[in-house]
Amino acid sequence: LCVAEDGVDVTRLPAQLRGCVASFEWVRVCVASRHLHPVDAFCGFRPSARRLPDSSMAGVSIQAASGEVEFFRPDVVLSPEQLGRSADRLKALIRRLGAHRALKGDARPATHLVVRHPSQLPIKRWQWCRSVGVTVVRWSWLEACLREGRRVPDGDHVVPVPARLDRRRSRDARSRASVAGDADARLSQEDSGLGGAEGVGLSQEFGCLSQDFPLASQEFPLASQ
């Protein structure tokens, strides 16, 4: 096993070591947890291709889906104590990349929501992402950024909007259209009622007023006459 910094050209290492190169993050985690983790258990346990942090990640603000801060490989069995430190590993990874970790109520809005299980993301969370313009990406995007040592394009890692959200939007739009149609119909009925019996009543009242108060020219002739 060989421990290397980010940006080290592993191709210059002996062939027998190229497949077992670990990062200093792996060393820190193993020491802190007193457990020898497999190097492939977490993308942060491998050195990046470039020195970090990278300036391309400066404008990125990352948020993890609730309940998904555990990002070790599912086939690696970890103790509850080790899983409890997963959130710390996430913070260390984001800081290592040079990005910002967005938290609830943070003044700096999130740009990316990282999810491992998109199907488990609540519908309200999808609606929030659409309303504020947050891009939902898979964990593979974060891993690719770390592997390349820079911000990689989102395209191949963007999670498509689920059909259930589009169906719900269509249903809500139809509901709003129905409510608006009912309101227009009521206004139309009220307008037609005003032009009918109520309109006749008003014209009769104004007619009475015109009879009670004849023209001023008839009551008060001109002074010259």
Side-chain angles (χ1 to χ4, degrees), residues 173-189:
R174 289 194 300 269
S175 177
R176 288 193 296 268
S178 177
V179 171
D182 294 342
D184 292 341
R186 286 196 300 270
L187 289 174
S188 178
Q189 291 176 359

Side-chain angles (χ1 to χ4, degrees), residues 21-176:
V21 182
S23 66
F24 282 96
E25 177 66 16
W26 173 81
V27 176
R28 284 191 289 268
V29 172
C30 291
V31 171
S33 61
R34 297 181 180 181
H35 179 83
L36 188 62
H37 294 277
V39 178
D40 292 332
F42 170 49
C43 60
F45 292 166
R46 294 284 189 180
S48 177
R50 301 173 63 181
R51 287 193 175 274
L52 295 174
D54 189 73
S55 59
S56 63
M57 299 293 293
V60 178
S61 184
I62 301 172
Q63 190 174 81
S66 177
E68 291 198 5
V69 295
E70 190 281 301
F71 46 80
F72 288 88
R73 277 175 40 185
D75 56 339
V76 177
V77 179
L78 300 175
S79 68
E81 182 181 2
Q82 294 159 3
L83 291 176
R85 294 192 176 95
S86 295
D88 294 333
R89 302 283 73 77
L90 174 63
K91 288 188 289 186
L93 171 59
I94 294 175
R95 184 171 59 249
R96 181 177 164 192
L97 285 169
H100 171 75
R101 186 189 179 193
L103 299 174
K104 187 176 181 180
D106 200 339
R108 183 175 177 180
T111 59
H112 294 76
L113 177 67
V114 184
V115 297
R116 183 178 289 279
H117 307 290
S119 60
Q120 299 178 10
L121 193 64
I123 193 72
K124 290 184 178 180
R125 194 68 165 164
W126 274 108
Q127 292 174 330
W128 172 80
C129 290
R130 270 197 163 184
S131 63
V132 299
V134 173
T135 304
V136 182
V137 293
R138 298 182 177 87
W139 278 99
S140 58
W141 175 76
L142 203 59
E143 295 173 349
C145 290
L146 182 62
R147 186 171 55 253
E148 297 292 332
R150 60 182 178 83
R151 180 178 177 177
V152 300
D154 307 338
D156 295 337
H157 309 277
V158 172
V159 180
V161 177
R164 56 195 175 101
L165 180 60
D166 289 333
R167 288 196 298 267
R168 181 165 182 171
R169 290 188 67 190
S170 299
R171 185 170 62 252
D172 293 344
R174 289 194 300 269
S175 177
R176 288 193 296 268

